[in-house]
Amino acid sequence: MSDVVEKTLTALPGLFESQTGAAKITNRLRQLIKSITELTSKHEEENLIKRELSAIKEQVSSPNTTMKQMREIMVRAMYCEMLGYDASFTYIHAIKLAQQGGVLEKRVGYLAVSLFLNEGHELLLLLVNTVLKDLQSTNLIEVCMALTVVAQVFPKDMIPAVLPLVEDKLSHPKEIIRRKAVLALYKFYLIAPNQVQHIHAKFCKALSDKDPGVMASSLHIYLQLIRESPDSYKDLTGSFVTILKQVLGGKLPVDFNYHSVPAPWLQIQLLRILSLLGKEDQSTSELMYEVLDESLRRAEMNHNITYAILYECVKAVYTIHPKAELLEKAARCIGNFVLSPKINLKYLGLKALTYVVQHDAKLALQHQMTIIECLDHSDFTIKRETLELLFRITNAQNVTVIVEKMLDFLCYVPIKTLTFAPDNSWFIQTMNDVFSIGGDLLQQDDPNNFLRLLAEGKPEEDDQLRLYAVESYLTVLKGHTSHLPQCFLQVMSWVLGEYAHLQESVDRREVIRLLTQLLDQRSVSSETRVWILSALTKIPEGQTDLILDLAESLSSSQDTVLRQQAQELRHLSQDSQLREWVLVENSCAVDSSLSFLDGFVSEALAAGAAPYKPPHQRQEELSLNLEPYSFSLPVSLSSCSITDRQSPTLLSVSSGLSGNSAELSTLILEGVKRVWGKDGYLPQKEATAPPVDEPSAAVQPASQQEAAERIEPRPEPSTQNQDKQQLASSLFVGLGVGSSVSLVRKLFYDGFTASLRGNVMDCLEARSTSVCHYALLMDDPHTNVSLTGTVSYQTQPGHTNTLPFSGTLSTADFIRPLVVTTEEYGKLWLSLSHDVKQNLKLLTDAGDPLRTTLNALKDALQLHVVDIIGSEGIVACRLLSGAPCLLHCRVNGAALAMWLRSPHPALPDFILYHCQRALAHH
Amino acid sequence: MQFMLLFSRQGKLRLQKWYVPLSDTQKKKISREVIQIVLARKPKMCSFLEWRDLKIVYKRYASLYFCCAVEDQENELITLEIIHRYVELLDKYFGSVCELDIIFNFEKAYYILDEFILGGEAQETSKKNVLKAIEQADMLQEEAETPRSVLEEIGLT
């Protein structure tokens, strides 16, 4: 078995010897633990515990068992429970032990009670009298135990019984009692706030208690109170500020220091309280600027605990009324977090950044590189926090990169972000990914919102988007469809039904065939079938044969809705007049008053039908659940106004780009029965409104403006963005064949011409000479590449000459200088992952050794010396196909310590090899 | 704080303290789940993770994992230091604590925890004060121990 058990076994004898005297009592427990460690299977353990529990059961029910034995039994019972076995028959004995035992038994009894029972457990009622008795005991230990159990588990209904006693303890001479009483009251406040309303004044006394422990405990209550109503406690700001000042000034006893930081827990509580008090309140905030500044300044030690305080401090600075100087300092602090190599600090830095970018999005720009690095972090927690941060800084410029990352990660892609979509194809493609991966996990509104986006555009503007969607969906449907989520199938069928006619080149028979195919699939749900049939109803014109076949095959379906739809489909395809009347192409008008039904209604009324009642009235009268009917109603094809009924949310296609009308229409449509309830309209309006806001953000001029405003204050957004994308692509795309064309062109301008594998760039015809430029790329570094080839040419028609040639190229031939500034170098350095370090020979023959060596390398290898600062030099180069490599050189005694970094794993090694060679040959 | 779990590298629970009322089945399910997630983490990873709507903060000391679940808005670093302070307390009390001390004296470990954290909040952060409270109660134990066992022996013989 494992080494831990082995250790346990070897250590056992020693443990027994050392503890024999004092701990005789728990010998049975020791035996139990020992025998458990000797077991090899779960099954054996189960049997052993079963035996143990039945032994315990026997003992507890025996009248001869003494309290002392009971104490030992209880410890064993606790152990069994911890292992996950049920020992509930001992619960009552735990209470008894607390009730009847001496102090020692009480201690175990109370512990067992707090471990075994929940606040709501009925047995706790039996404990109330014991607690009352112990609270009045003259033995301090008993009072402490009673208060401890009260603060952990106590029935809510019984609070009034003990409250006066606990309250009295607030003025007890012993600080430990006062402290526990404060925490017990805090607990009462949490579970039954109204019970402790009247003793607020006493909390104030606890806050000014001379013992720091009691005072610190009272802050738990204050934090809670202030969170609930900050305005009632503004007058205490001064006191909190004074306390924090005293703590910072080291006025507390050294016992409260933690790793030589004075009372960090107390500091953090105070900072939280202050930030709540100063929020949106300039005059209160002004009271705390000084102490916050001091707090930021004091926390300079490099220990987790100071960072914990700093984090709280930064949050406070950004929560209260802003002061430029403090904000600046706090922002610098965040930098320390984010750039820290310690992963826990980095995490907290990201968290702080996520918090502060809501106030000032610019701050994220400073840490772009780290953020991008963290996105690809191997730790899920870091990744997730980074995405949270990115979500908060999404704008029109960076949306592509960010959503891509989110998709990779797939926690969720809020449609809201997609309203920034840069172009149609990207949008549709991304939505395809979202639907097919996220699928049925998506919120129900998402597909509807997407369809609304598609439908609400003006015909001439958004036809492009629709066309692209149609094309893309046809491609999807031609592939494997069985794995696609239902909501995606529904979206596709709706779009095809509505917009397939836009695409001239599409064969309608093909569309019908694809949709019909879907109907045959077993995995397609009946709801989706309804969507598909609706789509089919809209498509055909003259394809009657296919439709009739389909209607025929469905007419025997077991699903009544499908059967009805098939029937309607058949009628419509046979009666072209009816069809024209029903399916007006691009029909946008909605007769929301349903006036065309007037005749029918009056006829029915005359014939004695009951008058119509809206669903909510019906529901009230019947109190039956009409859910299934009301659900299929908007989707199924009733014989009138078909175009409006295709999608539950798309009744108002006529609303143009205006956001207002979109909102209006949806408020009317989205389940009228939900909006109008017993209690009227307003309270539920809020519940349905938010999903509407999201999609309409794209079309609402107001929100667009808001987005623009958010972007504007940023310095040169476009260059920043380019920068980022360039980096993102160099990080994530790597060495791509796709980009070879532009790179090749660059090679040509570099004056580098080579033959063989490559691209024809240019053929210059001058008299009898052709100049052909070819480019050779190196995708992966190799020490040497030998190339052979032939040139064939014709001097006379039909007379071909062939010239063979060969040569050898090394990595060095593919290295080019990378011209960057020191700043860019710094950013890039942080973003690169593969590094290699080695000491090289330093050329000491002439002048400044570092400069000489770097110049020698530069001459031999086409490197770019970015900067030389003192004994350090930074050099940059890149492989022809794009991967950069950064070199950091430092004079280290008689050697040159070189540190190379590159996104390409092998490149640093090759460059190092060539540097070594170059210096050796010098 | 919502709960604290101490478990071994093999996933054996050594101590559990719940500060929110939950049923036994819920507790079992949660601890199983949390233990599994934490044990699957690699050593260089950060000590925090999101779990349901809570944050799990954990740290490994030798063969034992200390793990706390706190509310999402809580400061993870300070929770980490709470764990550390608890370990310091155990260390001081047992004299360079090891997993075995906690296994065999788990009730003591609970007493110390109850003096340090009460109802999910830090009660007393001064190491001296916590240990003083524990020692006082322990002393009582020894005083009570001697006369009783003598009496009992007399009674028995």
Side-chain angles (χ1 to χ4, degrees):
Chain A
M1 263 189 86
S2 67
D3 54 334
V4 167
V5 174
E6 275 164 31
K7 259 189 238 158
T8 314
L9 293 175
T10 50
L12 277 172
L15 262 157
F16 285 133
E17 275 160 35
S18 68
Q19 307 241 351
T20 39
K24 209 159 59 181
I25 247 179
T26 51
N27 265 351
R28 283 294 298 272
L29 172 73
R30 276 163 204 289
Q31 265 166 24
L32 173 66
I33 296 171
K34 190 176 168 231
S35 20
I36 286 177
T37 50
E38 281 164 357
L39 300 178
T40 47
S41 74
K42 184 80 187 162
H43 182 67
E44 281 176 25
E45 185 190 290
E46 268 167 28
N47 284 336
L48 181 79
I49 301 286
K50 223 187 222 165
R51 280 203 302 278
E52 184 71 24
L53 283 174
S54 58
I56 292 178
K57 206 167 200 166
E58 209 169 288
Q59 279 177 297
V60 291
S61 48
S62 151
N64 298 328
T65 310
T66 62
M67 273 294 150
K68 195 178 134 190
Q69 282 167 328
M70 196 65 112
R71 193 171 90 204
E72 180 267 315
I73 292 168
M74 204 48 69
V75 175
R76 266 155 56 207
M78 282 191 262
Y79 191 77
C80 294
E81 280 255 320
M82 184 157 67
L83 291 178
Y85 298 90
D86 177 43
S88 51
F89 64 89
T90 59
Y91 294 176
I92 183 73
H93 297 280
I95 291 187
K96 253 206 241 160
L97 200 61
Q99 224 162 41
Q100 298 164 1
V103 183
L104 280 183
E105 286 77 35
K106 267 183 193 302
R107 200 183 185 196
V108 176
Y110 274 132
L111 175 66
V113 167
S114 72
L115 290 176
F116 290 159
L117 304 182
N118 276 335
E119 263 157 44
H121 203 287
E122 48 190 2
L123 280 179
L124 273 181
L125 290 177
L126 297 175
L127 194 73
V128 175
N129 271 326
T130 317
V131 169
L132 282 174
K133 201 180 84 201
D134 286 335
L135 282 176
Q136 295 170 77
S137 163
T138 46
N139 187 335
L140 284 185
I141 307 277
E142 280 181 349
V143 181
C144 277
M145 288 191 295
L147 283 171
T148 307
V149 84
V150 159
Q152 295 191 66
V153 281
F154 203 71
K156 197 171 162 184
D157 309 332
M158 287 298 140
I159 291 176
V162 293
L163 191 59
L165 285 173
V166 177
E167 238 179 284
D168 278 352
K169 297 289 178 265
L170 285 178
S171 40
H172 197 276
K174 271 292 199 186
E175 61 270 2
I176 183 169
I177 305 277
R178 293 203 300 274
R179 197 177 66 211
K180 284 183 192 283
V182 168
L183 281 167
L185 289 174
Y186 168 64
K187 175 80 177 181
F188 292 167
Y189 180 77
L190 288 183
I191 56 177
N194 49 333
Q195 307 266 22
V196 289
Q197 267 330 321
H198 61 288
I199 45 172
H200 281 191
K202 295 209 170 150
F203 294 154
C204 202
K205 213 176 135 224
L207 180 65
S208 50
D209 199 289
K210 61 180 191 298
D211 180 70
V214 181
M215 185 262 290
S217 305
S218 75
L219 292 183
H220 295 305
I221 298 181
Y222 275 105
L223 183 63
Q224 200 61 33
L225 290 172
I226 293 171
R227 196 173 281 149
E228 279 154 25
S229 82
D231 289 333
S232 329
Y233 297 91
K234 298 272 180 183
D235 53 327
L236 285 175
T237 315
S239 315
F240 292 126
V241 168
T242 320
I243 299 174
L244 184 54
K245 262 188 199 153
Q246 284 174 349
V247 175
L248 288 173
K251 296 278 178 3
L252 290 188
V254 276
D255 299 343
F256 287 91
N257 281 10
Y258 177 81
H259 294 261
S260 52
V261 175
W265 283 275
L266 184 54
Q267 285 194 43
I268 283 176
Q269 284 295 71
L270 285 167
L271 287 169
R272 284 177 185 164
I273 288 176
L274 287 180
S275 70
L276 288 173
L277 287 171
K279 193 175 181 186
E280 289 158 4
D281 181 344
Q282 186 170 3
S283 59
T284 310
S285 296
E286 273 163 6
L287 296 173
M288 52 187 84
Y289 286 147
E290 192 193 325
V291 75
L292 287 178
D293 189 40
E294 192 175 341
S295 206
L296 279 177
R297 207 149 31 82
R298 290 252 174 187
E300 69 243 327
M301 232 195 35
N302 196 11
H303 186 275
N304 269 350
I305 197 77
T306 48
Y307 283 106
I309 297 173
L310 268 182
Y311 170 75
E312 219 57 57
C313 209
V314 166
K315 256 180 95 168
V317 167
Y318 273 91
T319 311
I320 62 167
H321 187 84
K323 187 187 183 197
E325 188 193 329
L326 276 180
L327 290 178
E328 202 179 300
K329 281 185 187 168
R332 268 208 301 278
C333 274
I334 297 179
N336 289 342
F337 275 96
V338 177
L339 294 175
S340 166
K342 285 188 189 151
I343 188 158
N344 287 344
L345 296 186
K346 203 182 263 300
Y347 170 82
L348 217 63
L350 288 170
K351 202 175 155 184
L353 210 52
T354 310
Y355 184 78
V356 301
V357 288
Q358 295 170 54
H359 303 266
D360 182 4
K362 260 188 288 180
L363 280 169
L365 288 180
Q366 298 169 10
H367 303 292
Q368 271 183 57
M369 297 307 137
T370 323
I371 294 170
I372 286 180
E373 205 176 47
C374 289
L375 258 185
D376 269 6
H377 205 284
S378 55
D379 192 340
F380 188 86
T381 313
I382 299 277
K383 235 177 176 172
R384 169 132 191 206
E385 194 58 40
T386 316
L387 282 172
E388 184 74 38
L389 170 62
L390 287 183
F391 171 56
R392 305 216 187 260
I393 56 165
T394 309
N395 61 34
Q397 272 99 46
N398 59 18
V399 64
T400 7
V401 194
I402 288 179
V403 173
E404 196 180 298
K405 284 290 146 198
M406 285 180 170
L407 264 180
D408 285 353
F409 195 73
L410 203 82
C411 28
Y412 59 107
V413 180
I415 302 269
K416 184 170 180 277
T417 5
L418 293 180
T419 55
F420 291 117
D423 64 62
N424 292 337
S425 56
W426 182 84
F427 179 65
I428 297 291
Q429 205 51 51
T430 308
M431 283 312 292
N432 283 357
D433 290 346
V434 171
F435 282 133
S436 52
I437 307 171
D440 296 327
L441 297 173
L442 288 176
Q443 286 184 353
Q444 223 180 353
D445 284 333
D446 285 344
N448 288 347
N449 289 337
F450 170 69
L451 291 182
R452 195 185 352 246
L453 264 176
L454 270 184
E456 275 170 2
K458 283 183 186 139
E460 59 274 21
E461 274 177 30
D462 282 316
D463 273 357
Q464 262 330 95
L465 181 62
R466 293 169 188 158
L467 267 177
Y468 193 85
V470 168
E471 266 171 49
S472 147
Y473 293 160
L474 285 175
T475 330
V476 172
L477 286 182
K478 277 174 195 158
H480 282 286
T481 50
S482 52
H483 65 282
L484 293 175
Q486 300 302 319
C487 76
F488 192 25
L489 294 177
Q490 291 167 8
V491 165
M492 286 194 290
S493 38
W494 188 86
V495 170
L496 288 179
E498 204 72 13
Y499 300 120
H501 66 89
L502 292 175
Q503 179 67 283
E504 300 289 329
S505 62
V506 168
D507 177 8
R508 295 195 181 181
R509 295 186 76 87
E510 176 73 3
V511 178
I512 295 175
R513 198 183 57 77
L514 285 170
L515 287 174
T516 321
Q517 220 169 31
L518 279 183
L519 279 177
D520 294 337
Q521 266 175 32
R522 199 175 281 192
S523 56
V524 173
S525 73
S526 51
E527 194 196 339
T528 312
R529 284 171 206 269
V530 173
W531 284 74
I532 297 171
L533 275 180
S534 311
L536 283 168
T537 318
K538 286 178 271 179
I539 298 169
E541 253 175 278
Q543 319 295 344
T544 332
D545 52 333
L546 280 176
I547 293 302
L548 283 179
D549 283 353
L550 177 66
E552 189 58 42
S553 68
L554 283 175
S555 61
S556 56
S557 164
Q558 287 187 342
D559 190 324
T560 42
V561 179
L562 287 185
R563 225 162 45 218
Q564 188 196 338
Q565 272 196 307
Q567 197 66 12
E568 288 165 358
L569 196 58
R570 197 161 58 86
H571 278 297
L572 284 173
S573 55
Q574 281 169 339
D575 187 343
S576 61
Q577 220 175 352
L578 176 67
R579 191 188 152 77
E580 252 168 60
W581 185 63
V582 169
L583 285 168
V584 186
E585 200 156 339
N586 289 331
S587 137
C588 291
V590 178
D591 183 359
S592 55
S593 68
L594 304 178
S595 60
F596 55 89
L597 284 173
D598 285 352
F600 175 77
V601 171
S602 55
E603 244 172 65
L605 283 175
Y612 172 77
K613 278 179 184 155
H616 66 279
Q617 261 184 30
R618 268 178 276 163
Q619 226 147 20
E620 266 170 42
E621 282 165 18
L622 289 170
S623 73
L624 270 179
N625 186 9
L626 295 171
E627 211 45 50
Y629 296 104
S630 51
F631 179 62
S632 61
L633 189 70
V635 191
S636 82
L637 288 164
S638 59
S639 57
C640 50
S641 76
I642 287 168
T643 27
D644 309 328
R645 296 283 174 111
Q646 303 309 302
S647 144
T649 53
L650 271 165
L651 289 185
S652 149
V653 186
S654 64
S655 56
L657 254 171
S658 138
N660 284 341
S661 71
E663 201 167 307
L664 249 178
S665 65
T666 43
L667 279 182
I668 298 165
L669 329 154
E670 282 222 4
V672 177
K673 68 177 191 307
R674 268 185 292 141
V675 179
W676 290 98
K678 245 186 214 171
D679 315 314
Y681 184 71
L682 272 176
Q684 297 195 351
K685 182 190 168 190
E686 278 172 319
T688 43
V692 180
D693 280 352
E694 282 196 354
S696 55
V699 281
Q700 258 173 13
S703 68
Q704 255 171 5
Q705 207 168 6
E706 195 184 286
E709 272 165 14
R710 237 186 12 235
I711 302 156
E712 263 167 19
R714 299 184 170 195
E716 305 168 48
S718 63
T719 51
Q720 287 286 5
N721 197 37
Q722 266 172 14
D723 206 309
K724 193 166 173 177
Q725 272 177 349
Q726 190 187 346
L727 186 96
S729 63
S730 74
L731 277 177
F732 310 123
V733 180
L735 312 172
V737 185
S739 60
S740 65
V741 171
S742 60
L743 285 168
V744 167
R745 194 163 291 145
K746 198 166 169 193
L747 296 181
F748 170 63
Y749 290 127
D750 280 349
F752 180 78
T753 53
S755 50
L756 272 175
R757 198 172 64 84
N759 309 45
V760 185
M761 283 315 301
D762 211 352
C763 282
L764 304 172
E765 282 181 44
R767 291 186 196 172
S768 59
T769 326
S770 291
V771 182
C772 300
H773 298 278
Y774 289 85
L776 180 64
L777 293 183
M778 187 178 250
D779 291 331
D780 277 312
H782 293 280
T783 343
N784 287 309
V785 184
S786 53
L787 52 99
T788 52
T790 52
V791 179
S792 307
Y793 60 94
Q794 293 181 335
T795 41
Q796 289 163 349
H799 221 83
T800 310
N801 293 330
T802 307
L803 275 177
F805 64 90
S806 66
T808 311
L809 293 167
S810 75
T811 313
D813 296 312
F814 294 91
I815 295 172
R816 291 291 170 277
L818 177 65
V819 183
V820 287
T821 66
T822 311
E823 204 186 9
E824 287 164 339
Y825 179 97
K827 280 183 189 175
L828 196 55
W829 178 265
L830 286 177
S831 69
L832 300 179
S833 45
H834 301 281
D835 51 358
V836 172
K837 290 181 195 175
Q838 188 148 353
N839 282 343
L840 295 184
K841 188 177 130 189
L842 191 63
L843 300 176
T844 45
D845 39 333
D848 179 0
L850 179 64
R851 202 167 286 274
T852 323
T853 317
L854 291 187
N855 281 337
L857 287 176
K858 182 183 155 194
D859 294 342
L861 285 168
Q862 295 210 55
L863 306 177
H864 173 66
V865 180
V866 182
D867 207 352
I868 296 179
I869 309 154
S871 63
E872 290 176 59
I874 48 176
V875 181
C877 67
R878 70 186 312 153
L879 203 59
L880 261 180
S881 50
C885 181
L886 302 183
L887 298 85
H888 178 270
C889 313
R890 191 168 48 82
V891 178
N892 182 12
L896 183 72
M898 190 173 272
W899 185 4
L900 300 95
R901 275 191 177 186
S902 168
H904 193 290
L907 189 56
D909 286 323
F910 284 104
I911 292 188
L912 191 67
Y913 167 77
H914 285 290
C915 289
Q916 272 171 331
R917 269 176 53 122
L919 292 178
H921 288 291
H922 193 79
Chain B
M1 193 185 292
Q2 307 250 337
F3 58 85
M4 187 185 226
L5 301 176
L6 265 66
F7 50 90
S8 70
R9 228 167 24 163
Q10 287 74 34
K12 283 249 183 252
L13 205 54
R14 296 300 181 207
L15 198 107
Q16 54 172 338
K17 188 82 193 178
W18 302 82
Y19 297 106
V20 281
L22 292 169
S23 73
D24 282 350
T25 25
Q26 277 172 312
K27 286 181 189 172
K28 267 186 217 165
K29 191 166 167 265
I30 291 174
S31 44
R32 218 179 16 237
E33 208 175 304
V34 168
I35 290 173
Q36 208 174 16
I37 300 174
V38 171
L39 288 179
R41 309 252 316 156
K42 298 195 182 75
K44 284 273 174 70
M45 287 184 166
C46 87
S47 312
F48 322 124
L49 57 110
E50 275 173 59
W51 178 79
R52 302 204 184 161
D53 52 348
L54 297 176
K55 282 275 163 61
I56 303 286
V57 178
Y58 70 92
K59 189 159 182 188
R60 184 179 152 178
Y61 289 88
S63 57
L64 204 57
Y65 282 89
F66 288 69
C67 165
C68 292
V70 293
E71 292 77 14
D72 186 47
Q73 69 273 19
E74 184 58 54
N75 181 332
E76 290 89 348
L77 268 188
I78 201 79
T79 313
L80 205 56
E81 296 311 298
I82 285 207
I83 292 178
H84 190 72
R85 168 106 306 175
Y86 181 47
V87 173
E88 282 180 356
L89 286 167
L90 290 171
D91 203 52
K92 188 95 185 226
Y93 181 81
F94 288 108
S96 74
V97 69
C98 69
E99 191 183 343
L100 283 172
D101 291 322
I102 293 169
I103 299 175
F104 285 106
N105 301 286
F106 71 92
E107 80 277 19
K108 299 265 171 55
Y110 276 121
Y111 292 145
I112 297 174
L113 186 61
D114 282 349
E115 280 306 315
F116 177 43
I117 297 169
L118 191 54
E121 301 286 352
Q123 174 195 178
E124 176 58 85
T125 53
S126 150
K127 199 150 60 173
K128 202 179 89 188
N129 289 353
V130 173
L131 291 174
K132 205 167 76 190
I134 295 289
E135 273 157 23
Q136 270 168 357
D138 280 355
M139 220 127 84
L140 207 78
Q141 183 144 358
E142 262 155 48
E143 275 166 24
E145 202 89 304
T146 357
R148 271 193 181 215
S149 59
V150 169
L151 281 176
E152 226 168 45
E153 265 165 56
I154 294 166
L156 283 171
T157 46

